[in-house]
Amino acid sequence: MNPAWVQNRSPISHHLTPSQLCAKNSWAPLMTHTRAALCKALSSMTISSGKRSLQEQVVAPGSRSTATAASQMDSSETKLGATVASRVPQIVIGNPEELERKKRAIKAAGLSSLQVIADFDMTLTKYMVNGTRGQSTHALLNQGNAEYDLKRQQLFDHYYPLETCPTIPVEQKTKLMEEWWGKTHNLLVEGGLTFKAIQTSVANAVIGFRSGVVELLEILEAKSVPVLIFSAGLADIIEEVMRQKLHRSFKNIRVVSNRMDFDGDGNLLGFKGKLIHVLNKNEHSLEMAAPLHDDHGHEVVNNAKNGYSLVRDRRNVILLGDHIGDLGMSDGVDYDNRITIGFLNENINSWLSTYTTAFDIVVLNDGAMTSVLDLIQELSR
């Protein structure tokens, strides 16, 4: 996910607003999906309620259930801050036969061959919390300095449209993201961020985990399946969210994210290691992987394996993400089989076709982790 951060125009776009820069690079036409096109796409997909096992959830393509799916999705989409009572969790499987092939292969290899790669914001955490748009681990941060909070917001207002612009070439966008993250990190240091401010920010945040996340992490820990949480955010905030909201740690989890360096009094001195942003958070960054820390700041695993050794020889992957770009988290993995699960939280009509092409399983409407739990249990039998 992106940082809710920062100030100053990029030298690359010095004379252009974000919208002008995006328009300047509009060499790729944008696609829109009409209701008719959506219904046609749905007729060839498997749609299910997400409340039973994947096998039990199948609805035959072309059935009445698929014909009404578009209207159900329309009614489930809500404006920011509106009630989400009508959000009915569903999953969509674009290619059931290919998914079954992958499951058979992973099951035959055993869980000792498996690793789980997960995004954090809006993947493990919820998109809506009690009817309010949930905060990302970046957006929740209040560093206790109004001037610097404003500067970070100004940076967000400038760079976020560039991050989401579909027509800026990757090489140019990578430079823009490096600028954004670098400026943001500098502002956090200059503004005097403290670890106490992180604890307070998390305590006051609108953030929560999807139903079933704790059960999923407990099962994976019990079965010794490593979990790599990749984030372009801040590892220290991710850990604090897990401590305050889950009230426990997991020995099999490694966080691959930007990690802060504090002095003995909890004042931010700088950042450790390489900079991780939305376009490079993948297994090429595993030297940044670190175990979770307990309430006293100690690693929960003594003499812990680093990221590379933890997943070495684990050639099957389950990948969880809420963004098409999250599929790149497995870059650097020489895998045999990969099952991808995408969480499509908003703009379902516009993105459903894209997500069902990109991901093996798509969870709609801010749904629970039920389908992932079912998958792990099926692979365990």
Side-chain angles (χ1 to χ4, degrees):
M1 302 298 292
N2 54 283
W5 301 341
V6 200
Q7 170 223 26
N8 292 338
R9 290 187 182 275
S10 154
I12 294 178
S13 55
H14 188 70
H15 301 294
L16 298 174
T17 66
S19 59
Q20 288 171 333
L21 180 62
C22 189
K24 177 175 179 288
N25 289 279
S26 56
W27 45 266
L30 299 179
M31 300 294 291
T32 59
H33 299 281
T34 64
R35 177 181 295 274
L38 174 63
C39 290
K40 181 178 179 181
L42 286 169
S43 69
S44 63
M45 300 170 188
T46 297
I47 301 197
S48 50
S49 66
K51 295 182 179 179
R52 294 168 291 168
S53 70
L54 293 180
Q55 292 286 0
E56 294 172 325
Q57 290 168 3
V58 172
V59 176
S63 69
R64 183 185 177 111
S65 295
T66 56
T68 60
S71 61
Q72 291 174 346
M73 291 172 198
D74 285 341
S75 66
S76 71
E77 292 184 13
T78 59
K79 294 182 179 180
L80 184 61
T83 178
V84 291
S86 61
R87 283 178 173 270
V88 180
Q90 295 173 314
I91 67 169
V92 179
I93 301 172
N95 189 334
E97 292 78 14
E98 177 62 9
L99 175 60
E100 289 301 317
R101 183 199 66 78
K102 292 180 180 180
K103 289 195 292 186
R104 287 194 299 269
I106 295 176
K107 189 172 182 179
L111 292 186
S112 62
S113 72
L114 183 65
Q115 60 174 293
V116 173
I117 300 173
D119 173 54
F120 190 77
D121 291 320
M122 314 307 157
T123 297
L124 297 181
T125 62
K126 298 171 66 175
Y127 184 76
M128 300 293 290
V129 180
N130 298 324
T132 301
R133 174 73 162 81
Q135 292 178 300
S136 70
T137 49
H138 300 101
L140 66 81
L141 180 60
N142 184 334
Q143 65 187 96
N145 186 319
E147 176 187 358
Y148 281 85
D149 285 336
L150 176 60
K151 288 181 178 181
R152 291 187 293 114
Q153 182 60 47
Q154 290 172 334
L155 278 179
F156 175 84
D157 293 341
H158 175 72
Y159 282 101
Y160 181 66
L162 302 178
E163 178 197 333
T164 58
C165 177
T167 62
I168 296 177
V170 172
E171 182 177 354
Q172 184 178 4
K173 187 178 289 189
T174 297
K175 292 179 180 178
L176 291 167
M177 296 302 99
E178 289 173 353
E179 289 176 8
W180 184 5
W181 263 252
K183 290 176 181 178
T184 295
H185 288 184
N186 289 338
L187 286 176
L188 292 174
V189 176
E190 293 171 13
L193 179 67
T194 65
F195 189 74
K196 180 63 177 178
I198 290 177
Q199 293 176 314
T200 302
S201 295
V202 172
N204 296 330
V206 180
I207 191 168
F209 286 89
R210 291 180 188 269
S211 175
V213 164
V214 174
E215 293 87 342
L216 175 64
L217 296 179
E218 287 177 343
I219 289 173
L220 293 173
E221 182 180 48
K223 297 183 179 299
S224 300
V225 175
V227 178
L228 299 176
I229 296 177
F230 284 86
S231 174
L234 300 167
D236 307 83
I237 294 181
I238 291 172
E239 290 188 346
E240 188 61 26
V241 170
M242 296 187 76
R243 279 193 291 266
Q244 291 193 27
K245 305 301 181 181
L246 298 184
H247 308 293
R248 63 156 299 177
S249 296
F250 297 88
K251 295 180 179 180
N252 61 321
I253 290 179
R254 301 291 183 273
V255 177
V256 185
S257 187
N258 298 291
R259 191 166 291 276
M260 298 176 173
D261 184 18
F262 294 93
D263 66 18
D265 295 321
N267 300 304
L268 179 62
L269 298 175
F271 288 80
K272 303 175 182 178
K274 65 185 291 185
L275 186 151
I276 300 176
H277 54 77
V278 288
L279 297 180
N280 73 345
K281 58 170 191 176
N282 53 49
E283 292 212 5
H284 291 300
S285 302
L286 275 181
E287 68 269 21
M288 292 290 289
L292 297 178
H293 292 69
D294 61 22
D295 292 337
H296 305 289
H298 303 125
E299 291 184 351
V300 299
V301 184
N302 293 324
N303 300 317
K305 294 181 178 179
N306 63 34
Y308 290 110
S309 61
L310 186 70
V311 299
R312 183 180 294 128
D313 299 326
R314 290 182 176 264
R315 297 177 59 87
N316 291 312
V317 174
I318 293 177
L319 183 147
L320 314 177
D322 72 309
H323 191 284
I324 294 296
D326 289 335
L327 292 167
M329 293 188 297
S330 59
D331 289 352
V333 181
D334 185 17
Y335 58 80
D336 294 328
N337 301 280
R338 182 184 72 163
I339 295 177
T340 57
I341 302 173
F343 293 83
L344 180 51
N345 299 309
E346 61 177 343
N347 299 325
I348 293 174
N349 284 359
S350 299
W351 285 101
L352 180 62
S353 179
T354 300
Y355 270 59
T356 50
T357 299
F359 292 95
D360 295 301
I361 301 170
V362 181
V363 179
L364 306 178
N365 301 316
D366 207 19
M369 279 287 169
T370 307
S371 59
V372 187
L373 280 164
D374 290 342
L375 176 61
I376 295 298
Q377 290 169 348
E378 182 177 352
L379 296 176
S380 301
R381 291 196 289 267

